[in-house]
Short mmCIF file of all heavy atoms in Angstrom, two decimals:
data_model
loop_
_atom_site.label_atom_id
_atom_site.label_comp_id
_atom_site.label_asym_id
_atom_site.label_seq_id
_atom_site.Cartn_x
_atom_site.Cartn_y
_atom_site.Cartn_z
N MET A 248 88.77 98.32 108.51
CA MET A 248 90.10 97.92 108.96
C MET A 248 90.77 97.07 107.87
O MET A 248 90.09 96.37 107.14
CB MET A 248 89.91 97.09 110.24
CG MET A 248 91.13 96.42 110.74
SD MET A 248 90.71 95.40 112.19
CE MET A 248 92.19 94.39 112.22
N ILE A 249 92.09 97.19 107.78
CA ILE A 249 92.85 96.25 106.95
C ILE A 249 93.88 95.58 107.85
O ILE A 249 94.15 96.07 108.96
CB ILE A 249 93.54 96.94 105.74
CG1 ILE A 249 94.39 98.13 106.20
CG2 ILE A 249 92.53 97.36 104.71
CD1 ILE A 249 95.17 98.77 105.06
N MET A 250 94.40 94.47 107.42
CA MET A 250 95.36 93.71 108.22
C MET A 250 96.60 93.41 107.42
O MET A 250 96.51 92.98 106.27
CB MET A 250 94.73 92.37 108.63
CG MET A 250 94.45 92.32 110.10
SD MET A 250 93.74 90.78 110.70
CE MET A 250 93.52 89.71 109.36
N LYS A 251 97.77 93.66 108.02
CA LYS A 251 99.03 93.32 107.35
C LYS A 251 99.42 91.92 107.78
O LYS A 251 99.40 91.60 108.97
CB LYS A 251 100.11 94.32 107.77
CG LYS A 251 101.49 94.02 107.25
CD LYS A 251 102.48 95.02 107.82
CE LYS A 251 103.91 94.68 107.54
NZ LYS A 251 104.42 93.49 108.19
N ARG A 252 99.76 91.09 106.82
CA ARG A 252 100.25 89.75 107.16
C ARG A 252 101.69 89.87 107.60
O ARG A 252 102.41 90.77 107.17
CB ARG A 252 100.17 88.82 105.95
CG ARG A 252 98.81 88.71 105.33
CD ARG A 252 98.86 87.72 104.19
NE ARG A 252 99.09 86.38 104.70
CZ ARG A 252 98.13 85.55 105.10
NH1 ARG A 252 96.87 85.92 105.01
NH2 ARG A 252 98.41 84.37 105.56
N LYS A 253 102.15 88.97 108.46
CA LYS A 253 103.57 88.97 108.83
C LYS A 253 104.40 88.52 107.62
O LYS A 253 105.49 89.00 107.40
CB LYS A 253 103.81 88.05 110.02
CG LYS A 253 103.44 88.72 111.34
CD LYS A 253 104.63 88.74 112.28
CE LYS A 253 104.30 89.51 113.55
NZ LYS A 253 105.44 89.68 114.42
N GLU A 254 103.86 87.55 106.88
CA GLU A 254 104.53 87.11 105.66
C GLU A 254 103.52 87.07 104.53
O GLU A 254 102.35 86.79 104.76
CB GLU A 254 105.09 85.68 105.82
CG GLU A 254 106.38 85.62 106.56
CD GLU A 254 106.34 84.66 107.73
OE1 GLU A 254 105.57 83.68 107.66
OE2 GLU A 254 107.06 84.90 108.70
N THR A 255 103.99 87.34 103.32
CA THR A 255 103.09 87.28 102.17
C THR A 255 102.65 85.83 101.96
O THR A 255 103.47 84.91 102.08
CB THR A 255 103.83 87.76 100.88
OG1 THR A 255 104.43 89.01 101.18
CG2 THR A 255 102.87 87.91 99.72
N LYS A 256 101.37 85.65 101.66
CA LYS A 256 100.85 84.30 101.40
C LYS A 256 101.53 83.74 100.14
O LYS A 256 101.68 84.46 99.15
CB LYS A 256 99.35 84.40 101.14
CG LYS A 256 98.50 83.80 102.23
CD LYS A 256 97.06 84.22 102.11
CE LYS A 256 96.29 83.42 101.10
NZ LYS A 256 94.85 83.71 101.18
N LEU A 257 101.94 82.49 100.20
CA LEU A 257 102.64 81.92 99.04
C LEU A 257 101.69 81.18 98.10
O LEU A 257 102.10 80.54 97.16
CB LEU A 257 103.75 80.97 99.52
CG LEU A 257 104.86 81.66 100.32
CD1 LEU A 257 105.84 80.65 100.88
CD2 LEU A 257 105.58 82.70 99.47
N TYR A 258 100.38 81.28 98.36
CA TYR A 258 99.38 80.63 97.50
C TYR A 258 98.17 81.55 97.42
O TYR A 258 98.12 82.57 98.13
CB TYR A 258 98.98 79.27 98.09
CG TYR A 258 98.45 79.39 99.49
CD1 TYR A 258 97.08 79.52 99.73
CD2 TYR A 258 99.32 79.42 100.58
CE1 TYR A 258 96.61 79.68 101.02
CE2 TYR A 258 98.84 79.58 101.87
CZ TYR A 258 97.49 79.71 102.08
OH TYR A 258 97.01 79.87 103.35
N GLY A 259 97.21 81.20 96.58
CA GLY A 259 95.97 81.98 96.48
C GLY A 259 96.24 83.42 96.08
O GLY A 259 96.88 83.69 95.07
N THR A 260 95.79 84.37 96.91
CA THR A 260 95.86 85.79 96.54
C THR A 260 97.27 86.37 96.65
O THR A 260 97.56 87.42 96.08
CB THR A 260 94.94 86.61 97.47
OG1 THR A 260 95.33 86.33 98.82
CG2 THR A 260 93.48 86.26 97.28
N ARG A 261 98.14 85.74 97.39
CA ARG A 261 99.52 86.20 97.63
C ARG A 261 99.57 87.64 98.15
O ARG A 261 100.47 88.40 97.85
CB ARG A 261 100.36 86.10 96.35
CG ARG A 261 100.61 84.69 95.93
CD ARG A 261 101.32 84.62 94.59
NE ARG A 261 101.37 83.24 94.15
CZ ARG A 261 102.41 82.44 94.30
NH1 ARG A 261 103.51 82.87 94.85
NH2 ARG A 261 102.39 81.19 93.89
N LYS A 262 98.56 88.00 98.92
CA LYS A 262 98.49 89.37 99.40
C LYS A 262 99.32 89.58 100.65
O LYS A 262 99.45 88.68 101.47
CB LYS A 262 97.04 89.68 99.80
CG LYS A 262 96.11 90.00 98.67
CD LYS A 262 94.76 90.27 99.30
CE LYS A 262 93.70 90.58 98.30
NZ LYS A 262 92.39 90.60 98.96
N ILE A 263 99.82 90.81 100.84
CA ILE A 263 100.47 91.18 102.11
C ILE A 263 99.45 91.91 102.99
O ILE A 263 99.54 91.89 104.21
CB ILE A 263 101.76 92.00 101.87
CG1 ILE A 263 102.51 92.31 103.16
CG2 ILE A 263 101.50 93.32 101.13
CD1 ILE A 263 103.36 91.21 103.68
N LEU A 264 98.45 92.55 102.34
CA LEU A 264 97.39 93.22 103.10
C LEU A 264 96.05 92.53 102.87
O LEU A 264 95.69 92.25 101.73
CB LEU A 264 97.25 94.68 102.66
CG LEU A 264 98.42 95.62 102.92
CD1 LEU A 264 98.09 97.03 102.41
CD2 LEU A 264 98.77 95.67 104.40
N GLU A 265 95.33 92.28 103.95
CA GLU A 265 93.99 91.69 103.86
C GLU A 265 92.97 92.80 104.10
O GLU A 265 93.21 93.69 104.92
CB GLU A 265 93.80 90.59 104.92
CG GLU A 265 94.80 89.46 104.83
CD GLU A 265 94.59 88.54 103.64
OE1 GLU A 265 93.61 88.72 102.90
OE2 GLU A 265 95.42 87.63 103.46
N GLY A 266 91.83 92.71 103.42
CA GLY A 266 90.80 93.75 103.57
C GLY A 266 90.76 94.60 102.31
O GLY A 266 91.60 94.45 101.42
#
Side-chain angles (χ1 to χ4, degrees):
M248 171 183 164
I249 53 176
M250 249 181 359
K251 175 184 171 293
R252 304 183 68 87
K253 280 237 175 186
E254 280 127 29
T255 310
K256 250 166 81 170
L257 296 174
Y258 57 93
T260 55
R261 292 174 188 261
K262 281 180 181 170
I263 184 81
L264 295 180
E265 301 288 356

